[in-house]
Amino acid sequence: MKLAFSTLGVPGTALPEVLALASAHGFQGVELRAHPEEAVHVGLTPAERADAAALLRGSGVEPLALAGYVRVAAPGDDAPVLAELRELLRLAHDLQAPFVRVFPGGESEEADAIAARRLGTAAEDASALGVRILLETHDSHPTGADAIRVLGPVGHGRVGALWDVMHTWLGGEQPAQTYAALAPCLGYVQVKDIASAEDTTPLPLGAGVLPLAECVAVLRRGGWDGWLCWEYEKRWYERAAPLPGLLAEGHDHLVRLLDGTA
């Protein structure tokens, strides 16, 4: 498995500095938060996109994904949701990022059908651009069982799942259950750690309650060899320790998990 971290942990940091942090601490990739607050977002001009792509190529650090905020199961018309998603897909193509992250965001009994319809439509754009859309286990669909209710009917290779280990744990799902549900369409896995279900302030990996060793063991037993991405939610928790000072030990902890020695 390869290792990445999310720029959610270093909010507002310039792309060259992000890539330098990844290179210095042994991370092969970065998940790029796609938001106007950050260096990467859909408002970049063609020249800015070309510059960012050149920076990424020159660094040797892979752009794992664009972490967008499209809510594919949200109520309302399809058109604005699809338009936002297509913008993200074009940006991912321009930066040569293989994945675009989307959220469920469902609020009704029709949420599964809404999300499946939109993802099925967007899959054709994703295919044309060589990008894959990943539905994160999150908010209205926190578990693998929830996500697969949407992904199963879509049935398209350009639409898959992103396993956020915190949300499946909060949803009461065991790692083996999540993997069994998502394995056929799993894009990558977000790891993190927290103190408790009541206190989700990010902690250094291994310092909290999330079953990271069990999750990685399940992946290893399944022969899965994709990406583990550390999503440290510093942007949402000001009192959390700065991520740069945690990256070295975080990388080492992930390596121990992969070796089965953590």
Side-chain angles (χ1 to χ4, degrees):
M1 300 180 214
K2 294 193 285 188
L3 306 179
F5 67 83
S6 169
T7 58
L8 189 64
V10 284
T13 301
L15 187 57
E17 185 176 344
V18 169
L19 300 176
L21 285 169
S23 295
H25 295 94
F27 289 87
Q28 296 106 314
V30 288
E31 179 193 76
L32 298 164
R33 180 179 179 239
H35 191 279
E37 296 176 348
E38 306 298 343
V40 171
H41 55 84
V42 297
L44 295 182
T45 66
E48 289 170 333
R49 294 175 185 221
D51 288 344
L55 280 172
L56 287 158
R57 287 194 302 271
S59 72
V61 176
E62 298 181 48
L64 169 59
L66 294 186
Y69 291 90
V70 177
R71 296 182 181 273
V72 294
D77 294 338
D78 289 356
V81 177
L82 291 170
E84 185 180 359
L85 181 48
R86 285 167 178 147
E87 284 295 317
L88 282 168
L89 290 169
R90 282 191 284 269
L91 179 60
H93 170 267
D94 292 345
L95 300 184
Q96 298 183 336
F99 302 122
V100 161
R101 185 278 306 276
V102 299
F103 285 150
E107 299 178 14
S108 70
E109 293 181 359
E110 294 77 34
D112 292 354
I114 292 170
R117 181 177 69 243
R118 290 170 176 166
L119 288 170
T121 300
E124 299 308 314
D125 297 278
S127 183
L129 292 167
V131 181
R132 195 168 182 219
I133 305 166
L134 300 183
L135 178 68
E136 184 172 328
T137 55
H138 195 273
D139 56 74
S140 62
H141 291 64
T143 67
D146 294 326
I148 206 65
R149 292 200 314 268
V150 172
L151 299 173
V154 176
H156 195 291
R158 286 293 173 177
V159 178
L162 197 175
W163 177 6
D164 181 318
V165 302
M166 181 182 76
H167 287 285
T168 54
W169 180 80
L170 290 172
E173 194 170 65
Q174 297 299 311
Q177 294 173 309
T178 306
Y179 183 70
L182 299 182
C185 56
L186 184 59
Y188 67 98
V189 180
Q190 284 180 342
V191 296
K192 60 188 73 173
D193 224 339
I194 56 173
S196 67
E198 295 72 35
D199 182 4
T200 56
T201 304
L203 295 176
L205 295 176
V209 298
L210 294 183
L212 301 181
E214 185 179 354
C215 289
V216 173
V218 165
L219 294 168
R220 291 171 61 218
R221 286 197 298 271
W224 190 78
D225 63 353
W227 287 84
L228 298 181
C229 178
W230 184 9
E231 188 189 45
Y232 185 81
E233 298 183 334
K234 173 67 173 173
R235 173 62 183 85
W236 314 127
Y237 297 87
E238 290 186 9
R239 63 189 178 95
L243 179 62
L246 306 177
L247 285 172
E249 177 53 34
H251 174 272
D252 291 348
H253 187 76
L254 290 171
V255 170
R256 292 194 295 272
L257 289 174
L258 293 175
D259 290 342
T261 59

